[in-house]
């Protein structure tokens, strides 16, 4: 092929070289920008990962201290005094890790905050005084302390971590507190844990000032600007990031904020990731990219010239043929395969490629769905094996919610449990679980998702928000419908478009959600609301079918648990019968005294006088025998229609005269004249037992105005009847209230302790609820909820 000055090949190569140069320059700029951006992002990512890891490392460090404290406290149980116990525990801790515990202080506190003993470094003693020890005792019972296991305080511009554990000294409950300062050795330990290199720095700030660390700052020297300090004090950030020049060197700084028991900002852990290597790398990358572009231009020009020379050869032949035609040579054969065949081939290849790509994409989608379903099947299989149906359904629900929101489980974003309250006939919000991936990186996620209808309170305040929600148990809302129909309902849509029973649920950003009912054959327990928060992931029919199998399995196991509990209840009744026989046979002391009277040789008057001394014991035995036989021979229920107000009036009339003789005022009020379906004999026994308990509590009370109030009321919205028995007697302690239904537990020598167990069994037989509310030296309220009469109640 002959090349002329105005040849098409020269022009194509010339213009192609210009395009290569412009493209190379553009690629250089884009590649350099992307590379530098990626390098910056890596530094930012390292800083963020390290600061999150630092927070976990510090948490683990404090958990280790807590474990050491538990172990050492058990080793000091035989110490003769509080002072020696504190010294022994301090010595044990020093043996475990002298470097960590040398500056720590061990303090033993009473339950009311009194300092019983203290041991430790003399310079660090008395950091826990009478005032803040009482604050510590109050904070031990807060949920935040239970979740974290420690809290921080700032004392004399030093930050201390305080860990408190219960400590029983000679059967007396006290609290063992270790106060350990955040010092330079801890920072070095955290640096080793984070595997920071020698260029990276770690430090501690107290308020806005430098306290200790590897930076060339003096202690107390201002470190943060006023704006950053104000943001941290207002708790705007848990983590804070910023590029900053420190000691004349470029760093990317990350802060982990620290707060005290009042959630007030007191300081920060900080790490500074060096960017020195980044700058050097940028320079080398710029030089390398420039050289690479020059080489690409040279190679591209050479290759383009050769390729176009070859590609233009058929065109040159066609041009020669055209010249021949122009010169009159019409016999020239012009090949028809030319560009038309290439175009046809290209079209065929493209069509074939499109079909291949379409088939591949479809197969990948199906494979992905299959893989996801296999993962779900495996997760549900593990869940079915691992989940246990407890007496308290709350434990089972929490295990299930944890599995639903676990990344190694089913991977949903959020789960909210609404318990069905038979007393209120509504769904009540109780628990909330959030996927740990969202919890750990919620700040980053929310900043990215706020433009996609994700708001901060939908994660941070969700747990508190759910507990305020109450949903009427009506089929008009989809949560109640799912529980009533006993099946999972799901929607690949936004939650605000549906009737959820409470407008607050429309504000929490529900997205692609479903309702998981918890129930058994005879009773509703509640419903779990689960969604993909801020994600576009859809809920498939396959996963819903798997979840329905899980729901039915849990329902069957709950029913089996109830049947097992009924069997245990029957065995318990048989056991009580045996105990009753034992009570009747262990009257040896009374019988011996009776024999002594029988064998006494004296006048009839003397014998009669001794017999009178046995009368109280005989009456007590008779009363115990009657109570035990009544409990052991608890008859089968016989339900009929009962006018509840008439029944209670009969009980009040039968007891009123006896009660008023004791100086107690008994009043009765009712706004309900309807019926219930129940066993009138057993209900009367239960009410008499409750009134007698109130009388006994009032007799032990020193109050002048002693009274018992009995009220009956019916809610307008639901078919529930409430009976309240209120007295202002001596009341009960929390421990007494906790075991009130257990048989053979009594706080009076005159009773065998079966009355309230008997009452509880009667109310349970009537499918009712009985609750006790009491404060020591203030009084007791008994609240019974029964079903109003309906044809299908029982």
């Amino acid at each position: 092929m002959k090349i002329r000055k105005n040849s098409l090949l020269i022009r194509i190569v010339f213009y192609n070289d210009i395009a290569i140069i412009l493209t190379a320059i553009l690629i250089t700029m884009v590649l350099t920008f992307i590379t530098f951006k990626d390098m910056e992002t890596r530094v930012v990512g390292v800083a963020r990962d390290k600061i999150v890891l630092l927070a976990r490392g510090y948490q683990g460090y404090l958990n280790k201290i807590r474990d050491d404290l538990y172990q050492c406290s058990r080793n000091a149980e035989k110490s003769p005094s509080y002072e020696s116990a504190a010294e022994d525990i301090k010595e044990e801790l020093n043996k475990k890790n002298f470097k960590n515990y040398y500056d720590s202080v061990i303090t033993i506190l009473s339950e009311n905050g009194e300092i019983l003993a203290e041991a430790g470094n003399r310079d660090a003693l008395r950091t826990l005084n009478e005032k803040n020890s009482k604050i510590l005792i109050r904070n031990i019972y807060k949920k935040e302390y239970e979740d974290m296991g420690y809290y921080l305080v700032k004392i004399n511009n030093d930050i201390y971590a305080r860990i408190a554990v219960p400590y029983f000294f000679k059967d007396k409950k006290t609290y063992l507190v270790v106060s350990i300062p955040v010092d330079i050795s801890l920072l070095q330990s955290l640096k080793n844990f984070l595997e920071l290199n020698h260029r990276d720095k770690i430090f501690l700030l107290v308020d806005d000032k430098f306290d200790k660390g590897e930076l060339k700052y003096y202690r107390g020297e201002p470190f943060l600007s006023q704006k950053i300090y104000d943001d941290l004090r207002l708790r705007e950030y848990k983590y804070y990031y910023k590029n900053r020049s420190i000691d004349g060197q470029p760093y990317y700084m990350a802060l982990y904020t620290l707060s005290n028991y009042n959630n007030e900002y007191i300081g920060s852990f900080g790490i500074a990731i060096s960017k020195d290597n980044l700058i050097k790398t940028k320079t080398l990358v710029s030089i390398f990219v420039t050289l690479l572009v020059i080489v690409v231009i040279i190679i591209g020009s050479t290759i383009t010239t050769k390729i176009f020379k070859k590609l233009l050869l058929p065109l040159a032949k066609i041009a020669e043929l055209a010249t021949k035609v122009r010169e009159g040579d019409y016999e020239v054969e012009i090949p028809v395969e030319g560009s038309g065949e290439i175009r046809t081939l290209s079209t065929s290849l493209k069509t074939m490629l499109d079909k291949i790509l379409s088939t591949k994409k479809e197969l990948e989608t199906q494979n992905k769905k299959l893989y996801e379903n296999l993962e779900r099947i495996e997760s549900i299989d593990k869940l079915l094996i691992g989940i246990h149906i407890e007496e308290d359904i709350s434990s089972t629900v929490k295990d299930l919610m944890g599995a639903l929101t676990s990344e190694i489980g089913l991977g949903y974003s959020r789960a909210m449990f609404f318990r069905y309250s038979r007393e209120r006939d509504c769904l009540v919000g109780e628990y909330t679980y959030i996927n740990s991936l969202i919890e750990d990186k919620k700040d980053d996620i929310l900043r990215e998702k706020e433009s996609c209808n994700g708001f901060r309170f939908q994660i941070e305040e969700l747990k508190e928000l759910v507990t305020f929600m109450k949903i009427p148990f009506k089929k008009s809302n989809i949560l109640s419908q799912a529980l009533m129909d006993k099946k999972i309902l799901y929607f690949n849509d936004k939650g605000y478009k549906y009737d959820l029973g409470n407008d607050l649920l429309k504000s929490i950003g529900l997205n692609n959600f479903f309702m998981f009912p918890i129930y058994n054959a005879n009773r509703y327990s509640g419903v779990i609301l689960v969604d993909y928060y801020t994600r576009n992931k859809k809920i498939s029919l396959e996963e819903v079918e798997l979840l329905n199998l899980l729901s039915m399995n849990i329902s069957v196991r709950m029913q089996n648990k109830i049947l097992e509990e009924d069997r245990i209840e029957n065995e318990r009744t048989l056991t009580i019968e045996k105990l009753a026989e034992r009570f009747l046979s262990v009257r040896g002391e009374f019988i011996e005294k009776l024999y002594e009277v029988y064998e006494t040789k004296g006048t009839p008057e003397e014998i009669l006088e001794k017999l009178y001394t046995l009368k109280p014991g005989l009456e007590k035995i008779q009363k115990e025998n009657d109570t035990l036989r009544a409990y052991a021979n608890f008859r089968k229920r016989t339900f009929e229609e009962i006018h509840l107000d008439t029944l209670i009036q009969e009980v009040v009339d039968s007891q009123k005269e006896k009660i008023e003789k004791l100086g107690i005022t008994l009043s009765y009020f009712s706004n309900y004249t309807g019926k219930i379906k129940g066993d009138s004999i057993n209900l009367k026994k239960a009410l008499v037992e409750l009134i007698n308990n109130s009388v006994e509590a009032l007799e032990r009370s020193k109050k002048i105005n002693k009274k018992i109030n009995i009220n009956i009321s019916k809610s307008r919205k639901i078919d529930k009847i409430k009976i309240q028995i209120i007295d202002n007697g001596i009341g009960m302690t929390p421990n007494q209230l906790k075991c009130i239904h257990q048989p053979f537990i009594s706080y009076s020598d005159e009773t065998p302790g079966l009355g309230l167990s008997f009452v509880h069994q009667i109310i349970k037989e009537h499918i009712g609820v009985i609750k006790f509310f009491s404060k020591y030296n203030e009084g007791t309220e008994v609240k019974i909820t029964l079903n109003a009469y309906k044809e299908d109640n029982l």
Side-chain angles (χ1 to χ4, degrees):
M1 178 180 177
K2 187 175 180 181
I3 301 176
R4 301 183 181 89
K5 288 175 62 178
N6 59 349
S7 172
L8 181 61
L9 176 61
I10 293 177
R11 283 182 284 174
I12 289 175
V13 171
F14 174 78
Y15 291 122
N16 185 70
D17 284 347
I18 293 176
I20 290 176
I21 292 171
L22 293 176
T23 303
I25 293 173
L26 180 61
I27 291 173
T28 301
M29 295 174 64
V30 173
L31 185 60
T32 304
F33 175 80
I34 293 173
T35 303
F36 290 174
K37 190 68 177 178
D38 181 68
M39 293 167 68
E40 290 282 353
T41 303
R42 288 176 182 272
V43 173
V44 172
V46 168
R48 296 191 176 192
D49 291 342
K50 293 293 184 182
I51 199 67
V52 172
L53 188 60
L54 183 146
R56 294 180 181 174
Y58 182 58
Q59 177 72 46
Y61 171 80
L62 294 177
N63 288 339
K64 179 64 171 60
I65 293 174
R66 188 182 182 91
D67 294 339
D68 289 347
L69 192 59
Y70 268 119
Q71 184 176 354
C72 294
S73 65
R74 290 194 293 269
N75 296 339
E77 289 178 350
K78 297 182 180 180
S79 300
S81 65
Y82 289 118
E83 289 78 11
S84 62
E87 292 290 342
D88 291 343
I89 293 171
K90 171 64 177 176
E91 184 177 355
E92 288 291 327
L93 289 173
N94 284 340
K95 289 179 180 179
K96 281 184 172 294
N97 194 323
F98 182 83
K99 182 179 179 182
N100 285 352
Y101 296 110
Y102 175 74
D103 289 329
S104 66
V105 174
I106 302 299
T107 308
I108 301 177
L109 300 177
S110 67
E111 286 187 290
N112 59 6
E114 180 185 358
I115 297 176
L116 303 175
E118 197 172 36
N121 186 0
R122 294 185 180 276
D123 295 334
L125 288 175
R126 294 180 295 281
T127 60
L128 186 62
N129 54 40
E130 182 178 354
K131 179 181 178 181
N132 52 33
S133 66
K134 292 182 179 178
I135 294 175
L136 185 146
I137 293 296
R138 288 199 303 270
N139 278 276
I140 286 175
Y141 297 101
K142 288 185 178 180
K143 185 178 184 303
E144 293 83 356
Y145 182 86
E146 292 179 0
D147 292 342
M148 295 178 62
Y150 71 93
Y151 74 89
L152 304 175
V153 293
K154 186 180 75 173
I155 299 174
N156 298 329
N157 289 325
D158 283 318
I159 294 178
Y160 282 78
R162 288 213 168 106
I163 299 99
V165 298
Y167 176 53
F168 289 88
F169 185 83
K170 298 181 178 179
D171 296 330
K172 184 175 182 181
K173 184 177 180 181
T174 61
Y175 291 97
L176 192 60
V177 182
V178 59
S179 300
I180 187 162
V182 179
D183 55 17
I184 193 67
S185 63
L186 170 58
L187 292 179
Q188 189 59 45
S189 176
L190 289 174
K191 180 173 182 179
N192 294 336
F193 172 74
L194 297 175
E195 298 182 348
L196 298 176
N197 61 44
H198 67 281
R199 293 187 184 88
D200 301 331
K201 309 297 182 183
I202 188 168
F203 55 91
L204 175 69
L205 304 181
V206 175
D207 292 332
D208 61 335
K209 299 176 178 60
F210 181 79
D211 184 66
K212 55 180 67 73
E214 298 178 323
L215 303 180
K216 295 179 181 179
Y217 277 76
Y218 298 105
R219 185 179 185 186
E221 184 177 353
F223 186 83
L224 300 176
S225 67
Q226 186 63 40
K227 182 181 181 305
I228 296 174
Y229 179 55
D230 290 340
D231 288 344
L232 295 177
R233 281 194 304 152
L234 293 173
R235 308 295 294 140
E236 291 290 330
Y237 310 98
K238 182 176 180 182
Y239 300 99
Y240 185 84
Y241 309 95
K242 187 175 179 63
N243 281 306
R244 178 164 177 171
S245 177
I246 302 175
D247 299 335
Q249 298 293 327
Y251 287 92
Y252 188 83
M253 179 183 70
L255 299 179
Y256 170 65
T257 60
L258 304 175
S259 56
N260 62 11
Y261 57 86
N262 284 328
N263 204 27
E264 297 170 342
Y265 173 77
I266 60 172
S268 302
F269 279 118
I271 59 172
I273 304 300
S274 175
K275 299 174 69 174
D276 184 53
N277 284 340
L278 176 63
I279 294 173
K280 294 179 181 178
T281 304
K282 282 183 177 181
T283 303
L284 293 175
V285 168
S286 299
I287 296 172
F288 174 78
V289 170
T290 303
L291 293 174
L292 181 62
V293 167
I294 294 172
V295 172
V296 167
I297 292 173
I298 296 171
I299 295 174
S301 299
T302 304
I303 294 175
T304 301
T305 302
K306 291 183 178 181
I307 290 175
F308 275 101
K309 184 178 180 180
K310 185 175 182 179
L311 288 175
L312 291 174
L313 182 60
L315 183 61
K317 291 180 179 179
I318 292 174
E320 290 175 359
L321 291 173
T323 302
K324 289 181 179 181
V325 170
R326 181 173 58 85
E327 293 174 351
D329 188 2
Y330 299 109
E331 300 295 329
V332 173
E333 242 180 274
I334 301 176
V336 295
E337 54 270 21
S339 60
E341 290 182 353
I342 296 174
R343 184 168 55 252
T344 302
L345 181 60
S346 299
T347 303
S348 300
L349 291 174
K350 186 177 182 303
T351 302
M352 186 185 300
L353 183 62
D354 289 340
K355 289 183 179 180
I356 292 173
L357 291 175
S358 177
T359 304
K360 180 183 177 184
K361 187 175 181 181
E362 184 179 352
L363 290 173
E364 286 177 347
T365 302
Q366 293 177 354
N367 188 54
K368 184 178 179 182
K369 287 183 179 179
L370 178 61
Y371 183 77
E372 288 177 351
N373 287 332
L374 288 174
E375 284 186 330
R376 288 192 183 96
I377 292 171
E378 183 179 358
S379 298
I380 290 175
D381 185 56
K382 291 179 181 178
L383 182 59
L384 289 173
I385 295 174
I387 199 167
H388 298 285
I389 305 300
E390 304 292 345
E391 292 184 4
D392 182 8
I393 191 62
S394 299
S395 301
T396 302
V397 170
K398 289 177 181 178
D399 290 343
L400 178 59
M401 292 172 72
L404 287 171
T405 56
S406 170
E407 277 300 303
I408 61 174
L410 296 175
Y412 295 102
S413 299
R414 302 180 297 178
M416 295 148 271
F417 177 64
F418 297 87
R419 175 182 58 82
Y420 173 63
S421 171
R422 289 181 293 153
E423 183 178 354
R424 300 178 183 178
D425 200 29
C426 67
L427 296 171
V428 181
E430 281 200 349
Y431 311 114
T432 301
Y433 275 61
I434 299 176
N435 191 307
S436 60
L437 184 64
I438 296 177
E439 285 276 27
D440 291 344
K441 298 185 178 180
K442 61 184 177 183
D443 289 333
D444 298 334
I445 291 173
L446 288 172
R447 277 195 292 271
E448 295 174 1
K449 297 295 183 180
E450 281 182 356
S451 60
C452 303
N453 298 324
F455 297 95
R456 187 170 296 276
F457 78 90
Q458 294 170 351
I459 294 178
E460 292 183 341
E461 280 79 39
L462 184 63
K463 294 181 180 180
E464 290 76 14
L465 194 62
V466 165
T467 58
F468 288 114
M469 295 183 188
K470 294 179 179 59
I471 301 170
F473 194 59
K474 297 178 180 179
K475 208 164 186 178
S476 58
N477 63 77
I478 56 178
L479 267 80
S480 300
Q481 182 184 348
L483 187 55
M484 290 180 181
D485 294 344
K486 297 181 179 179
K487 69 177 183 179
I488 292 174
L489 299 180
Y490 74 100
F491 302 89
N492 286 312
D493 206 346
K494 303 295 183 183
Y496 67 84
K497 299 179 181 179
Y498 301 90
D499 183 4
L500 300 166
N502 190 309
D503 288 340
L504 285 175
L505 282 172
K506 295 185 177 182
S507 68
I508 63 173
L510 285 175
N511 184 49
N512 299 348
F513 61 99
F514 66 87
M515 281 69 66
F516 190 99
I518 306 294
Y519 60 92
N520 59 46
N522 302 316
R523 180 172 296 184
Y524 300 132
S525 296
V527 61
I528 301 174
L529 178 59
V530 184
D531 80 326
Y532 282 117
Y533 179 69
T534 69
R535 298 183 186 178
N536 292 322
K537 194 170 183 180
K538 302 290 185 181
I539 299 171
S540 66
L541 180 61
E542 292 84 359
E543 68 185 278
V544 172
E545 290 175 350
L546 290 173
L547 291 169
N548 269 317
L549 291 175
L550 175 62
S551 176
M552 289 187 289
N553 183 277
I554 292 175
S555 173
V556 171
R557 292 170 67 180
M558 287 172 62
Q559 183 63 27
N560 292 340
K561 182 70 175 180
I562 291 174
L563 295 175
E564 178 67 13
E565 289 175 354
D566 289 341
R567 183 186 66 80
I568 294 172
E569 186 71 24
N570 292 333
E571 292 178 355
R572 185 179 297 148
T573 303
L574 293 174
T575 303
I576 292 175
E577 184 177 357
K578 294 178 182 178
L579 288 172
E581 293 175 2
R582 178 183 175 185
F583 267 73
L584 295 173
S585 64
V586 291
R587 303 299 193 261
E589 182 180 350
F590 179 81
I591 295 173
E592 289 178 5
K593 291 182 180 180
L594 189 61
Y595 270 115
E596 289 178 5
V597 174
Y598 177 76
E599 294 174 355
T600 298
K601 295 181 180 180
T603 63
E605 290 77 9
E606 292 175 342
I607 294 174
L608 186 60
E609 183 179 353
K610 289 184 177 181
L611 285 173
Y612 271 113
T613 62
L614 297 178
K615 184 177 180 181
L618 183 62
E619 291 175 345
K620 179 180 177 183
I621 292 173
Q622 184 63 41
K623 184 177 179 180
E624 288 180 350
N625 288 348
D626 293 341
T627 303
L628 289 168
R629 287 194 182 99
Y631 193 91
N633 298 321
F634 181 68
R635 68 185 188 84
K636 295 182 179 179
R637 61 182 182 174
T638 303
F639 285 95
E640 57 187 355
E641 296 177 22
I642 302 171
H643 286 278
L644 184 62
D645 58 333
T646 303
L647 183 144
I648 296 180
Q649 186 65 59
E650 291 175 0
V651 173
V652 170
D653 291 342
S654 67
Q655 302 292 314
K656 193 167 187 178
E657 183 178 353
K658 176 183 71 174
I659 292 173
E660 289 180 348
K661 285 182 180 180
L662 298 173
I664 300 171
T665 301
L666 176 62
S667 61
Y668 167 58
F669 173 77
S670 172
N671 71 349
Y672 177 68
T673 58
K675 298 178 182 179
I676 67 168
K677 204 165 187 179
D679 188 321
S680 59
I681 296 175
N682 279 338
L683 281 176
K684 283 183 179 179
K685 286 182 179 180
L687 292 170
V688 169
E689 181 64 35
L690 292 172
I691 292 172
N692 287 339
N693 276 0
S694 294
V695 170
E696 181 185 340
L698 287 165
E699 287 180 327
R700 295 166 60 195
S701 174
K702 297 181 181 179
K703 296 177 181 177
I704 298 175
N705 182 19
K706 302 179 179 181
K707 56 185 178 181
I708 301 174
N709 296 328
I710 302 176
N711 302 318
I712 305 178
S713 61
K714 181 184 181 298
S715 174
R716 294 181 179 179
K717 297 182 179 179
I718 57 177
D719 295 324
K720 301 288 182 180
I721 304 166
K722 292 184 175 61
I723 304 172
Q724 294 173 288
I725 302 175
I726 306 169
D727 67 69
N728 61 344
I730 195 170
M732 289 179 281
T733 65
N735 287 335
Q736 292 173 336
L737 196 60
K738 185 177 180 181
C739 55
I740 195 170
H741 294 309
Q742 296 181 18
F744 299 106
I745 294 180
S746 176
Y747 302 101
S748 171
D749 294 334
E750 303 299 323
T751 59
L754 288 172
L756 292 179
S757 179
F758 187 67
V759 170
H760 177 69
Q761 192 171 353
I762 291 172
I763 301 303
K764 183 179 178 182
E765 288 287 333
H766 286 76
I767 315 180
V769 179
I770 181 169
K771 294 182 179 180
F772 290 80
F773 307 91
S774 184
K775 288 186 178 180
Y776 189 67
N777 282 335
E778 291 187 18
T780 300
E781 176 186 353
V782 183
K783 185 177 179 182
I784 301 172
T785 304
L786 298 173
N787 294 315
Y789 174 70
K790 279 186 177 181
E791 292 296 333
D792 57 349
N793 265 2
L794 292 171

